[in-house]
Amino acid sequence: MTAVIIKGTEVYNPEKGGAVDLSILDVQQIFGRAGRPQFDSSGEATLITSYDAYQRYITKLVRAVPIESNFIKQLPDHLNAEIVGGTVSTIQEAVQWLGYTYLHIRMLGNPLAYGIKPEEKNDDPTLVSRRRELIVHAAKHLSATKMIAYAQASGNLSAREMGRTAAHFYVQSESVATFNEQMGSNKNLSNASLVHTIASASEFQNMKVRQEELEELEKIAGNCPLEIRGAGLDDRGRGLVTSATDKAFLLIQAYISKERITSFTLISDVNYISANAGRIARALFEMCLKQGDAGSAMKLLRIAKSVDNRIWWFQTPLRQFEGEIRDNALLHLEKAVSSEYSGLASVTSLLDLHPNEVGSLCHWNKGGEKVQSLIRMLPQFEVECRVLPVTGSILKFHVTLSPAFVWHGRWHGGGQSFWFWIENTESKRIYHHEQFTLTKAKSASSFAIDAMAPIFGESGQFVVKIISDSWVGVEQVVPISIEESQLPKQDEVLTKLQDLTPLPTSALQNAAYEKLYPFHAFNPIQTQLFHVLYHTDSPVLLGAPTGSGKTIVAELALLRMKKLRPSSICVYIAPLKALARERLKDWQRRLGAPPLNWNVLELSGDTHHDLSRLERSDVLVCTPEKWDLLSRGWRGFQTGDAVKEKSFVKRVGLLVIDEVHLLGEERGAVLEAIVSRTRFISRTLQQSKGPKGEEETRIVGLSTSLANAVDLGAWIGIETESTCTSNRQGLFNFSQYVRPIPIAVHVQGFSGKHYCPRMATMNKPCYAAIKDYAPTKPTLIFVASRRQTRLTAIDLISYAASDEQPMSFLDCSQDYIESVAENIRDESLRHTLTFGIGLHHAGLTSADREVVERLFLEGRIRVLVATATLAWGLNLPGRLCIVKGTEYFDGKSSRYVDYPLTDVLQMIGRAGRPGFDTQAFAVVMATEDKKNFYKKFLYTSFPVESCLQEKLCENINAEIASGTISTTVDALGYLSWTFFARRVKANPSYYGAKSSDDDDVEEFLFSTVKDTLAQLDESGCIVTQPNDDTAQVKSTPLSIAAASYYLSHRTPKQMQFGVKEGRRIVLKYLEEETNSKVSDSLKTTLSSFERSPGIDEVASGWLLYTLCSTHEFDEHPVRHNEEHLNEELSRSLMWGPDMTMLLSGRRSYNVEIFQDPHTKCFLLVQAYLQRAKLPITDYVNDTMSVVDNIPRLLAAMEFIAGQDKEQPGSFELLTQFSRTRQFVATKSTPQSDPVLLLVGAPELTVNKQKTSNHTISLREIRAMPRATAVNTISQLTRLDKKRVDVAITTLFRLPLVNLNKCAVSHHINKVTGKAVGKLEMHLQMERQRDKADNEVSLTILLGSYHQKMLLGQSSIRIDRLGKFDVVRTVEFDWNRANADGGAEGGRMIIRLLFDNIRGLDAEMLISLA
């Protein structure tokens, strides 16, 4: 038997401020410990209590009493939490929510206990009126305390900043009311007043001031740095403790000061204070921060950190290194250097002293070095701030933060949080604030923060503050001078929309053209531009809102060009591949069909066309990068590329730049390079025709409304400075409000520090917006990621189901939508479609996307949740457009950043498309701190600034490689064609120029050119003479590689290093094979080329590792927590996170490597080759983005490797490039057998490679008669007959190459005097029809016998079917081939290598005699 004794039932509760009886539930719980089952057969419990409580306990133990609800006491706080969480948004919803509580159950069961009369219960059985009364009373209370906004007329409830903060920090509404009363409009409260305000919180008001505590409280007051302001003073002039607030005020300080307290009740009260004071201080800090009150926010953060760390803000920050520095040393240190608020600056000044001096200063002779080492661990940054004037009244601050401290795991943990804000020192107002977290992985690199602030006349000094969220005294204040910043002039020119009669399509005066348009008249904007577009060749810049019919404007210019110059080409530049695909589909359907039959081609990262097709094209739809790459070679590179190969570039008669305002965004440098080069080419061709020639290329720019349209127009060739009537002809800049369909935009703010929870709180407002604005009309919802599309759709379905209308978004029969969903591959989309909600993102197959687009366009589904790229890519109509979140994850900075305003406007513009709607609505859901920004600036036209400076090295290098620039003067001339040069003149401070004076601008541009050429010289791209203003600049092979393959100017040098190491690695492994073995493997007839899998694996692994380590993948995203996924993935891959496993045979790496984007890329490439399972779906899209770039990067690195032909091993390394391309193309590893990769047997790859010992090659099987090949495949794979037939069919679609005749000769080059060898090969090709009729590339390599040097190379593109002969001549270095021909001399190796087929490579040894 187990006995339990309760000795006394009174316990001290600091929250109540005194002793309270144990509740009967606690007593019963304790009694339950007596006689536990499986241990005892009986138990005994004894309760010892006071006589007064005896009868009460006996009654409750003998007779069970229902538990009543205390919910009413804190109903306002709980209601506020539900409003903040998005559960409740109206009084009606709040009444319904209250019906789910235990309070409602008890009110129904025991109404009298809650003041409900019987007749009231009879009249209202569910107590709806009583619940409404309680809710309304609580809502009024919350509204009075400024925690919510309560519209009594409509019953709507919405959260306010104070309510959000109170809910987040669990602060009671009574406390918020107290804070409002005490702080009010006073912005200059002292530290003592703020601590007193914290002590006034209702959480502390139940504390009692006992007589026996007064003596100790007086002692505490004497040791406190902040004086109490009580109702009276004692005989020594100190404040008296007369209230709970005074007591809490002292105990907060006692806790921070680590006072020794003896009273039991005070100890309990201090423990209660310690658990709540920091939380309340943080709540007050965030309230002041969001109100922009800089002074109070700073003081409250100091107080909060002091409570958390028990260190005063005026003490040295070194106290936080507990146990590292002696107490007396800290005291001497504080006396010597510390001041009230500059603790960090004071201690960092000690780094300027000698360690012995520091030791002497703190009276710790041997501790100087240790003190300095600890100072270096205090979190701080090197801060660089650039002031970029945006307009005459708005400044942009670009702040670069570079961590400048030593990271130590013990003191810094996994991450450190900091507050960043920009403050006006005169008004004490915070214009921008944000919190960021620095991890150890990011502590070695710089990052930037951008912020905007308005200026009003003579604004005061601005300062940047960086404050640690946890380290006391770690605060940095960096003053920002704006006196030297020259503000740009406001020059916004808006075009008035004329009241014109809509122009009929018959004005085209061409029946074929008129058939293009299903309508009978152009819209007002098109009518106003018609004459300039269709009857002149003037450049045109159109700024108008989305949905204004800008595409037809471009078409009018295209129709004029084809009418006057039928052989000319139109190039249409679309900002995204999705938009290019949409335009291609539309124009191929309309322009590519009879009667026009124009040849419309797409050029993007996903497409490839040979030059002959480009020459025959009428319209090219391109992405900016693709056209930039093509147009770079318009006159041929200096390596000898024929100019005629890119002659179609000179035939471009019309260049249409869609969304030209993106010039100011990240990819804007590419657009600027395109237009600048186009104008340069056009002017060059014009001058070649004489002084009266006209520019060959007309430029049409399409944009949203612009603030600096004149600058942009002048740059594309519009005359803006003449006084004739043609001045500004072609410049049309309409207001944002000139929309064919009027739109109402609503901006909503949402709190929450973390992205995903904040997105979740937006789902119910999304549902409410659909019900309010478009209950039966199509709705578009834009989100930032594929994951958010799925989560948003699921929540919308849940809300519809809770309204008992689960199919409210579906406008077709259930049978029909289920039949459509059966063919959908994506599981999430298949589920959401049946409820009328579609998903649209890059992770869907093209077939799934087309089904979703069709269903939405037909109105069968009413809601489409899409990633933001849809705003640019598809023309889908929507009555309502919801921008759910204005942030996206930026892989470069590894954090969430805001969308550019242009992107938000583009999304909004999808609402109310002409021809579909008569009205439109948009809802922008942003973070609470960005709400006012979007309200103010959403329809404010900001000037478009140039981004060329960031990519100037790449652009200058491309022009040097093509021969356009050969001196520094040429480089300056090139810059004069750019938009960058114009904006430097108009807004010099934005770019770093001294002023807009011509001399200062010229000096700045010259300095920019000089710095750019110096960077290119350092990266090995050019050769130039230093300190010579007219120096000649020449391109190098690295320059050609960067320009030809669209690389960063720093990447070729990395590749060059990879090539050098690659040759060394290949030669090392080849040396391990005996000379006799190598000799025996080479035959004098063409035979299969096979290489040891070990060499293939190491060499290809190194090449892929080098490519993944280049600057091309610097910005590949590594999202939150993906480093753990990378580490887990690496364990299942063949090579691991780096080359250690391949080169040394052991896995050894630092775990921090998994946060590196290059490591992630290398892992994804391995997973692709190995066909490994990826941890999450995001990695699928990441893998494709990496793998899509590998062929281009391989080709660039191969080009660089080909420049070092004379190096030993260059022949073997060039061979390995083709082998690596084969692995990527066939999605296989070096260890897998090519025979088993045939269609029909892919699953046998892994198992078979372990057991198969056959030596027959795929080439040998391909050369067999079909019947023999069938038997051979059957024996090797043991497949059934059906699958063998499939494998054989696939095999015989592969090309077979045989050598009919080979002749070697040589001659003396009369120019160089060198002996040049010539190998003439007569090849017989055999290829059956392939389903896709894909082209196949064959590379021919000639290598020296002994040192494996590259002698010559060529390539053949096999695009014909059947049997045919090809004669190919390859020249090589005759002397080197003979000198390195081995012991017998006069021999070289020939290899025929396919770029995308494994197992068909061949080689032979040929004599030069």
Side-chain angles (χ1 to χ4, degrees), residues 324-348:
E324 296 292 323
I325 304 178
R326 299 174 181 176
D327 291 343
N328 65 329
L330 289 169
L331 290 172
H332 285 103
L333 203 59
E334 287 170 347
K335 290 179 182 178
V337 300
S338 184
S339 59
E340 187 173 5
Y341 297 125
S342 59
L344 181 62
S346 300
V347 295
T348 51

Side-chain angles (χ1 to χ4, degrees), residues 47-78:
L47 176 68
I48 303 173
T49 184
S50 64
Y51 182 78
D52 294 338
Y54 170 75
Q55 191 62 43
R56 185 168 65 254
Y57 280 117
I58 290 295
T59 302
K60 290 183 178 179
L61 284 170
V62 174
R63 188 171 58 197
V65 178
I67 300 172
E68 299 297 343
S69 172
N70 289 319
F71 196 70
I72 291 179
K73 295 180 180 178
Q74 293 187 335
L75 179 58
D77 296 325
H78 295 297

Side-chain angles (χ1 to χ4, degrees), residues 1002-1219:
E1002 186 175 350
E1003 179 185 352
F1004 173 77
L1005 293 178
F1006 179 75
S1007 173
T1008 301
V1009 166
K1010 204 170 181 181
D1011 291 344
T1012 301
L1013 295 179
Q1015 291 181 54
L1016 291 174
D1017 197 354
E1018 183 182 357
S1019 61
C1021 287
I1022 63 171
V1023 177
T1024 184
Q1025 298 176 2
N1027 302 319
D1028 187 352
D1029 293 350
T1030 58
Q1032 296 285 326
V1033 289
K1034 294 183 179 179
S1035 63
T1036 66
L1038 300 188
S1039 170
I1040 306 300
S1044 303
Y1045 297 99
Y1046 217 73
L1047 306 176
S1048 163
H1049 71 283
R1050 298 179 295 169
T1051 296
K1053 197 168 187 178
Q1054 292 178 299
M1055 291 181 170
Q1056 191 177 50
F1057 171 78
V1059 165
K1060 182 179 178 181
E1061 285 297 302
R1063 285 196 301 264
R1064 184 185 64 80
I1065 290 171
V1066 171
L1067 287 176
K1068 175 187 174 183
Y1069 277 82
L1070 285 173
E1071 285 174 4
E1072 296 178 359
E1073 299 182 359
T1074 62
N1075 292 330
S1076 61
K1077 182 178 178 182
V1078 173
S1079 177
D1080 291 341
S1081 65
L1082 286 170
K1083 300 179 180 178
T1084 55
T1085 57
L1086 194 65
S1087 57
S1088 296
F1089 168 62
E1090 295 182 355
R1091 170 170 276 179
S1092 164
I1095 297 178
D1096 267 344
E1097 188 169 18
V1098 173
S1100 292
W1102 173 257
L1103 292 180
L1104 293 172
Y1105 178 73
T1106 301
L1107 297 184
C1108 293
S1109 301
T1110 61
H1111 292 294
E1112 304 304 306
F1113 296 111
D1114 284 352
E1115 298 180 16
H1116 189 82
V1118 179
R1119 305 172 188 88
H1120 182 58
N1121 284 332
E1122 281 191 352
E1123 64 271 17
H1124 305 302
L1125 298 177
N1126 293 339
E1127 185 174 8
E1128 181 183 350
L1129 179 62
S1130 72
R1131 297 191 187 105
S1132 64
L1133 299 177
M1134 50 191 174
W1135 300 331
D1138 54 24
M1139 288 295 294
T1140 307
M1141 178 68 182
L1142 271 177
L1143 297 179
S1144 65
R1146 55 186 175 83
R1147 288 182 180 264
S1148 176
Y1149 46 80
N1150 190 329
V1151 293
E1152 294 177 9
I1153 196 175
F1154 294 107
Q1155 296 178 330
D1156 190 338
H1158 305 94
T1159 299
K1160 180 181 174 182
C1161 292
F1162 188 49
L1163 293 174
L1164 293 178
V1165 170
Q1166 293 179 65
Y1168 178 81
L1169 299 181
Q1170 202 170 324
R1171 306 187 186 192
K1173 183 179 179 181
L1174 297 172
I1176 55 175
T1177 54
D1178 285 340
Y1179 274 40
V1180 177
N1181 203 40
D1182 291 342
T1183 300
M1184 296 315 300
S1185 68
V1186 174
V1187 173
D1188 286 348
N1189 284 291
I1190 293 298
R1192 172 176 61 90
L1193 298 179
L1194 265 176
M1197 193 171 175
E1198 184 180 23
F1199 171 81
I1200 293 171
Q1203 306 305 308
D1204 295 328
K1205 297 180 181 180
E1206 298 179 4
Q1207 296 296 325
S1210 57
F1211 171 61
E1212 295 292 349
L1213 186 64
L1214 264 292
T1215 298
Q1216 201 59 46
F1217 279 103
S1218 292
R1219 305 283 282 189

Side-chain angles (χ1 to χ4, degrees), residues 251-531:
L251 293 183
I252 290 172
Q253 298 185 68
Y255 176 73
I256 297 173
S257 300
K258 302 179 183 178
E259 288 286 333
R260 291 178 176 269
I261 299 175
T262 58
S263 169
F264 168 74
T265 56
L266 285 182
I267 291 173
S268 297
D269 287 340
V270 167
N271 290 336
Y272 180 70
I273 288 283
S274 67
N276 292 279
R279 171 174 57 84
I280 294 171
R282 293 273 178 181
L284 273 171
F285 158 69
E286 292 212 7
M287 289 177 184
C288 293
L289 184 69
K290 290 169 182 176
Q291 291 172 0
D293 183 356
S296 298
M298 176 65 87
K299 293 172 184 175
L300 285 164
L301 183 56
R302 288 171 181 159
I303 294 169
K305 292 192 293 183
S306 293
V307 173
D308 293 342
N309 294 277
R310 305 188 73 180
I311 298 172
W312 288 100
W313 55 82
F314 47 77
Q315 293 178 315
T316 176
L318 294 175
R319 284 187 176 271
Q320 286 155 108
F321 296 104
E322 191 172 354
E324 296 292 323
I325 304 178
R326 299 174 181 176
D327 291 343
N328 65 329
L330 289 169
L331 290 172
H332 285 103
L333 203 59
E334 287 170 347
K335 290 179 182 178
V337 300
S338 184
S339 59
E340 187 173 5
Y341 297 125
S342 59
L344 181 62
S346 300
V347 295
T348 51
S349 65
L350 296 177
L351 295 176
D352 299 330
L353 304 179
H354 191 274
N356 293 336
E357 294 177 295
V358 176
S360 175
L361 198 65
C362 60
H363 293 211
W364 187 20
N365 292 333
K366 296 182 179 180
E369 289 186 2
K370 187 169 189 178
V371 170
Q372 288 187 328
S373 68
L374 293 175
I375 291 173
R376 292 186 181 95
M377 294 181 195
L378 291 174
Q380 54 186 310
F381 298 85
E382 292 178 0
V383 184
E384 180 184 350
C385 182
R386 287 182 58 205
V387 181
L388 311 176
V390 178
T391 67
S393 59
I394 298 174
L395 295 177
K396 179 180 179 181
F397 299 95
H398 182 78
V399 184
T400 303
L401 302 178
S402 304
F405 63 97
V406 178
W407 192 284
H408 193 287
R410 177 184 174 187
W411 306 112
H412 303 114
Q416 287 287 306
S417 186
F418 297 86
W419 288 97
F420 169 92
W421 71 63
I422 293 178
E423 171 189 336
N424 187 307
T425 54
E426 284 189 8
S427 63
K428 297 291 183 183
R429 179 173 179 80
I430 298 173
Y431 285 106
H432 175 89
H433 72 269
E434 64 180 84
Q435 188 178 19
F436 65 88
T437 300
L438 185 71
T439 61
K440 184 178 181 181
K442 299 294 182 183
S443 62
S445 56
S446 302
F447 60 96
I449 296 176
D450 290 327
M452 287 190 180
I455 53 174
F456 307 100
E458 296 294 328
S459 289
Q461 179 80 26
F462 285 92
V463 295
V464 168
K465 289 187 177 180
I466 304 105
I467 308 115
S468 171
D469 189 58
S470 56
W471 287 73
V472 178
V474 175
E475 306 165 6
Q476 287 182 263
V477 181
V478 181
I480 304 171
S481 174
I482 63 172
E483 294 179 358
E484 297 180 359
S485 298
Q486 181 177 334
L487 300 180
K489 296 179 181 179
Q490 299 292 99
D491 189 25
E492 185 173 3
V493 177
L494 292 178
T495 304
K496 182 180 178 182
L497 184 62
Q498 303 294 335
D499 187 13
L500 302 175
T501 302
L503 197 66
T505 54
S506 58
L508 294 169
Q509 298 178 349
N510 186 310
Y513 290 176
E514 293 173 29
K515 290 179 181 178
L516 294 174
Y517 303 108
F519 48 82
H520 301 292
F522 296 107
N523 73 22
I525 290 179
Q526 295 158 0
T527 298
Q528 191 165 334
L529 271 72
F530 184 85
H531 175 77

Side-chain angles (χ1 to χ4, degrees), residues 573-840:
I573 305 295
L576 295 175
K577 286 189 289 186
L579 184 56
R581 281 194 295 266
E582 180 202 355
R583 184 57 39 235
L584 178 75
K585 278 192 227 174
D586 180 46
W587 279 355
Q588 281 185 336
R589 177 177 56 84
R590 294 167 54 233
L591 305 181
L596 297 180
N597 294 317
W598 291 344
N599 189 9
V600 183
L601 297 181
E602 178 194 6
L603 287 174
S604 67
D606 299 333
T607 60
H608 172 79
H609 300 290
D610 59 32
L611 291 175
S612 61
R613 288 199 67 187
L614 296 177
E615 292 285 355
R616 296 193 302 269
S617 64
D618 294 294
V619 180
L620 293 176
V621 181
C622 305
T623 53
E625 291 78 9
K626 196 71 174 184
W627 183 248
D628 185 22
L629 178 60
L630 281 174
S631 62
R632 283 180 177 185
W634 70 280
R635 68 193 330 169
F637 289 124
Q638 290 182 2
T639 52
D641 289 5
V643 177
K644 64 181 180 181
E645 290 184 353
K646 297 288 183 71
S647 61
F648 71 93
V649 176
K650 300 178 183 179
R651 289 177 38 229
V652 174
L654 176 64
L655 177 67
V656 179
I657 309 284
D658 202 355
E659 314 296 351
V660 73
H661 56 271
L662 294 180
L663 203 65
E665 306 300 339
E666 187 175 359
R667 300 168 70 198
V670 181
L671 288 175
E672 187 165 348
I674 289 170
V675 177
S676 300
R677 187 179 300 119
T678 299
R679 289 213 63 206
F680 180 83
I681 295 172
S682 182
R683 185 61 62 87
T684 301
L685 297 177
Q686 174 193 9
Q687 291 173 352
S688 67
K689 294 181 178 180
K692 295 185 179 180
E694 295 182 356
E695 285 201 32
E696 291 289 318
T697 307
R698 182 187 195 183
I699 299 177
V700 174
L702 308 176
S703 168
T704 60
S705 300
L706 300 164
N708 57 337
V710 174
D711 269 352
L712 203 54
W715 174 57
I716 68 172
I718 297 174
E719 182 60 57
T720 59
E721 297 180 359
S722 70
T723 57
C724 62
T725 55
S726 63
N727 187 42
R728 297 190 178 179
Q729 177 178 288
L731 181 60
F732 300 90
N733 188 37
F734 297 97
S735 168
Q736 289 279 9
Y737 300 99
V738 179
R739 277 180 56 96
I741 307 297
I743 186 171
V745 181
H746 305 270
V747 181
Q748 299 178 4
F750 294 83
S751 64
K753 295 180 181 178
H754 303 291
Y755 179 81
C756 290
R758 187 169 63 248
M759 291 299 103
T761 62
M762 295 179 182
N763 289 332
K764 188 168 185 180
C766 277
Y767 178 74
I770 294 172
K771 303 301 287 183
D772 288 344
Y773 304 121
T776 60
K777 295 291 183 179
T779 298
L780 284 166
I781 302 177
F782 291 108
V783 294
S785 67
R786 288 177 289 170
R787 182 171 180 267
Q788 283 299 322
T789 62
R790 184 179 71 256
L791 295 178
T792 303
I794 291 173
D795 272 10
L796 290 177
I797 293 170
S798 299
Y799 291 126
S802 65
D803 278 354
E804 299 181 354
Q805 296 177 325
M807 302 299 171
S808 58
F809 303 129
L810 190 63
D811 195 16
C812 63
S813 68
Q814 191 70 28
D815 292 340
Y816 174 79
I817 199 67
E818 287 179 356
S819 65
V820 172
E822 286 178 357
N823 299 317
I824 297 296
R825 293 185 61 183
D826 186 86
E827 184 178 348
S828 299
L829 177 59
R830 193 184 314 125
H831 171 69
T832 61
L833 271 184
T834 58
F835 292 92
I837 301 178
L839 308 179
H840 198 290

Side-chain angles (χ1 to χ4, degrees), residues 1283-1298:
R1283 298 184 71 185
V1284 168
D1285 289 342
V1286 174
I1288 289 295
T1289 301
T1290 304
L1291 174 63
F1292 277 84
R1293 284 180 183 149
L1294 302 178
L1296 180 65
V1297 180
N1298 288 306

